[in-house]
Amino acid sequence: MSGPTTLQVLRSLETGPRGLTEEEADARLARHGPNAPPVPRTASWRRRFVRGLRDPFTAVLFCLGIVSAGMAAWGTTCVITVLVAVSCALRATGEHRADRAMAALRDLVPTTATVVRRPAPDEREPSAPRERAAPAPRELPAEELVPGDIIRLAPGDVIPADAQVLTATGLSVDEAPLTGESSPTTKEPWTPTTGPGKGTDHLCFQGSSVTAGGGTAVVTATGRHTRFASTTHEASGVPSGERAARARAFDRSVHGISWTLVRFMLLTPPLVLVANAALRGRGLETLPFAVAVAVGLTPEMLPVVVTMCLARGAAHLARAHGVIVRRLPALHDLGAMDVLCVDKTGTLTQGRPVVDRSLDAAGRDAPEALDWAAVNAWWTLRLADPPTPDALDEAILTASEHYEGYEGIAALPFDPVRRLATAVVTRPGAGLGVHTLVVKGAVENVLELCTLPAEERTRLQALASHHAAKGLRVLAVATADRDRPARCRGTASHPTWSPADIHGLTLVGFVTFRDAPDPAAGPALRALADRGVTVKILTGDHPGTAARVRRDLALPPIAPDAVRTAEDIDAVPPTDVAALARLAHRTTVFAGCTPAHKARVVAALRAHGHTTGFLGDGVNDLPALHAADVGLAPHDAVPAAREAADVVLPRAGGLAAIDHAVTAGRSSGVNIATYLRITLSSNLGNVIAMLTAALLLPFLPMLPAQVLVQNLCFDAAQLAFAHERPVPAALSRPTTLRPRAFLRLITGFGVLNAVADLATFAVLALAAPGPTGTEDESLFHAGWFTENLLTQSLAMLLMRGAAYGTTAAGRRATPVTRAALALATAGILVPLSPLGPPLGMTPLPPTYYALLTLVLPLYCATVVQLRKKASVAHGSGGSGRGGPQ
């Protein structure tokens, strides 16, 4: 279909080639608003703090604190309030710092634009007719542009708004931030004969930039109505500050476990009350104990430990490697990531071409074509003096310096219509008055000007197509010796040449180009593969170009069926996510992708159970960045991509920094998983034991204050997990939590802890005076308090697994080792200290400690055996597919 003609566009915008008047522009500015890109609303620190209550455990703790306050249990209320406040404050502070770092990186699109405006009536002579007001170009802030304005474009300009081209002279625009295309796009005015099928070649979009040539254009859309703004809005749905939470890998794992435990916690108080009322005749006096039991099951420090682990990792990345983690849970998702999808242009490549080969007409390596191309590039640059050097010319002059000794006569710069550039030179050894035409350009255009048989021209075009299919860009180079044409005007030594003089050429050969790969990309991607992260390339380029980049990066070769195109994605129905996931599993490179294709592939991989990351740098990557579990963007990405990303890589060594970020994420993930494994199994064992003892004993097995102090000691000790360093072997595979397997694991260890607690009853019965050994309530409380803290300290050491080493390095005094020792010391000394009597505890007899030495070694041996079985079931050291359990 053909679009509206230029005249129709001007009429629809109520403007003309001479621009708007100032008063018209002011009226439109008031109606359409400023031409400002959508700025994401950043949540305040206070709002981030309140949003921290959405965490399930934090929310339950908050509710338990309200219940405790209602029962006047002020000690429990204060402790819970402090835990909730610390957790929310840590998370809000970390995310607020990341946003401040992003604000320092944020660069705005063009601040000024050259606009053609006519003076307002009060600025003209009263006698001057309105239609004859002389238009004048002026520099105006880009925010003041309105639909209907006429703007002038020159090399280096950033397009300030969506516009339709009116006039163009060799106009080329880089649209890579919007489309991902690595080569500039030639822009021409729309005409009725060439309009259909031209696509968007007559349109310029906000955020792209002029690389060569110049022209004028009429502004068709500004502000939130531009393609840039609509793409950003469609990708994000709502501004980033208010964006609805997505079910990321961290949410799916931790929240899956959390809500299972939350349900059990909510059932515990009614269960305790009903059981005590039915079997012991106790009433509401057991409510404080029931709340204490629920608090005892709660991993109170989970929000604090998780936030501290992630915040420490994020701070280390920012300080040591320049990586900005904008969303703290994204660090965990990086550690769990097992598939990374990457865009090609600007991420794996540097976005500039380099010479690949120089070939003669037979397809053999020959330097002559490159040398003549260098002569053409050098004298075209010197004599035509383009505003900005062509990227291909720069690549040619970098690869060859064999242009000395030639004298430039004239130059015809690159013509986007004829797709040629011509330099006229005199070469050493040539006769007087002999000029050499050196022509380079698109293969088909150069071959048309060569004297060749039809079959030879067909063969040469097939040869060029063969190299293009390998992902190379091909230029043809031809020459011709001429006497000074009689019809040429100018001086005898410097005549004037025209395109009509370019014919009868002799083909010298071809020069092929490839995208310059990022030197850090190859080692970075190989390192990720060694760490169990599968890398997939999603690009809008030709399949051969994408496959070529893999070869240039020295990545392992892939099977032919591992390269697919957008047509293969379109062949899968949108509703059949499983089929697309199976296709994505078998595919390494998806070529010819639109933004929607990239997002579909990423979403399908996530739906199939993979933790998926996406690395992109352009507006066209926004849908995929939002669809991924964790979005990554380089430092020099467009502002919208940086705003959408969860992790922003540094300017230098960006891809290499991914490996550091993955390591930090896995370290945090291992520490979080270990903390959860230990605290939940210990808490579950204590709750089972307390519920059982409450039904067997004539008194409560623990007073609410004792439960609170015990939890405080254990929680304080477990803060050490935020400072622990796993061994490198534990970080070799993705780390994530599988809720079902994890819950099975903690149930097994929890039952073991409950058995150890119940065995303590027998020890207390033997050590305590009286017929049954349960007459002294304070002695029983003290004995169980000590045993609980001793077994919990042993669990901190024994249930860490191989992730923290078992050799000499593992026997070092680590933060967790010191914390476990302090916890055991507190368990022994608190009943003996002046704190014992106020807490309802009395010193224990020596017989109790002697008998306890029989229970604890048996407990240790059983824990070690269970840990070994768990390691075998879930992978060595608790890592592997799915990560530590």
Side-chain angles (χ1 to χ4, degrees), residues 348-350 352 516-524 526 553 655:
L348 301 183
T349 64
Q350 300 179 37
R352 62 178 181 84
D518 187 335
R526 287 192 294 273
L553 296 176
L655 280 172

Side-chain angles (χ1 to χ4, degrees), residues 261 264 292-300 673-691 702 707 710-711 713-715 717-718 721 742-758 784-785 787-800 820 823 859 863 866:
L261 294 174
F264 187 60
V293 171
V295 174
L297 179 63
T298 307
E300 299 98 333
T674 305
Y675 161 77
L676 280 171
R677 182 169 60 244
I678 294 172
T679 189
L680 292 180
S681 59
S682 296
N683 290 356
L684 181 61
N686 287 341
V687 167
I688 294 173
M690 279 193 287
L691 291 176
M702 260 194 184
V707 175
Q710 176 184 283
N711 288 344
C713 293
F714 190 34
D715 292 340
Q718 290 188 99
F721 281 108
F742 189 85
L743 290 172
R744 287 197 300 269
L745 185 69
I746 64 173
T747 300
F749 282 109
V751 170
L752 173 62
N753 286 332
V755 170
D757 289 342
L758 295 175
W784 201 2
F785 181 89
E787 182 270 342
N788 265 335
L789 291 189
L790 289 176
T791 54
Q792 286 173 339
S793 64
L794 290 172
M796 289 180 63
L797 298 175
L798 299 175
M799 292 179 63
R800 290 184 300 167
L823 181 64
Y859 171 78
V863 168
L866 282 179

Side-chain angles (χ1 to χ4, degrees), residues 108-185:
L108 301 176
V109 249
T111 56
T112 62
T114 304
V115 186
V116 176
R117 293 256 180 99
R118 289 178 290 152
D122 57 354
E123 296 178 5
R124 295 184 283 111
E125 294 293 333
S127 60
R130 177 183 178 87
E131 62 275 7
R132 295 197 177 189
R138 64 186 70 184
E139 288 289 322
L140 292 178
E143 290 186 354
E144 296 183 11
L145 287 182
V146 296
D149 263 330
I150 306 299
I151 57 174
R152 292 186 176 181
L153 305 176
D157 287 349
V158 179
I159 307 297
D162 288 357
Q164 179 163 327
V165 177
L166 299 179
T167 63
T169 304
L171 181 62
S172 295
V173 176
D174 179 13
E175 295 181 324
L178 294 170
T179 65
E181 292 291 340
S182 55
S183 301
T185 302

Side-chain angles (χ1 to χ4, degrees), residues 246-256 327 329-330 332-338 606 609-612 628-630 735-739:
R246 290 169 283 171
R248 307 295 188 98
F250 182 80
D251 305 325
R252 294 194 300 268
S253 57
V254 175
H255 287 194
R327 186 179 61 90
H332 170 275
D333 295 345
L334 271 175
M337 181 177 67
D338 59 347
R606 285 188 62 209
H610 290 282
T611 302
T612 307
D629 284 299
V630 54
T735 58
T736 189
L737 299 171
R738 288 176 286 179

Side-chain angles (χ1 to χ4, degrees), residues 655-731:
L655 280 172
I658 295 180
D659 186 56
H660 298 300
V662 168
T663 300
R666 291 183 181 180
S667 179
S668 299
V670 168
N671 286 340
I672 292 170
T674 305
Y675 161 77
L676 280 171
R677 182 169 60 244
I678 294 172
T679 189
L680 292 180
S681 59
S682 296
N683 290 356
L684 181 61
N686 287 341
V687 167
I688 294 173
M690 279 193 287
L691 291 176
T692 304
L695 301 178
L696 297 177
L697 297 174
F699 51 81
L700 294 178
M702 260 194 184
L703 300 177
Q706 295 166 355
V707 175
L708 178 62
V709 172
Q710 176 184 283
N711 288 344
L712 280 176
C713 293
F714 190 34
D715 292 340
Q718 290 188 99
L719 287 175
F721 281 108
H723 303 268
E724 194 79 337
R725 291 185 179 180
V727 295
L731 310 179

Side-chain angles (χ1 to χ4, degrees), residues 1 33 91 117 135 207 281 330 395 432 444 452 622 761 769 797-798 800:
M1 295 177 59
R91 178 166 296 185
R117 293 256 180 99
L432 294 175
E444 57 271 24
L452 292 170
L622 289 179
F761 296 167
L797 298 175
L798 299 175
R800 290 184 300 167

Side-chain angles (χ1 to χ4, degrees), residues 176-217:
L178 294 170
T179 65
E181 292 291 340
S182 55
S183 301
T185 302
T186 300
K187 298 294 182 180
E188 302 172 2
W190 191 96
T191 61
T193 56
T194 60
K198 285 186 64 177
T200 61
D201 288 351
H202 61 296
L203 302 176
C204 295
F205 300 104
Q206 183 186 54
S208 52
S209 57
V210 180
T211 58
T216 61

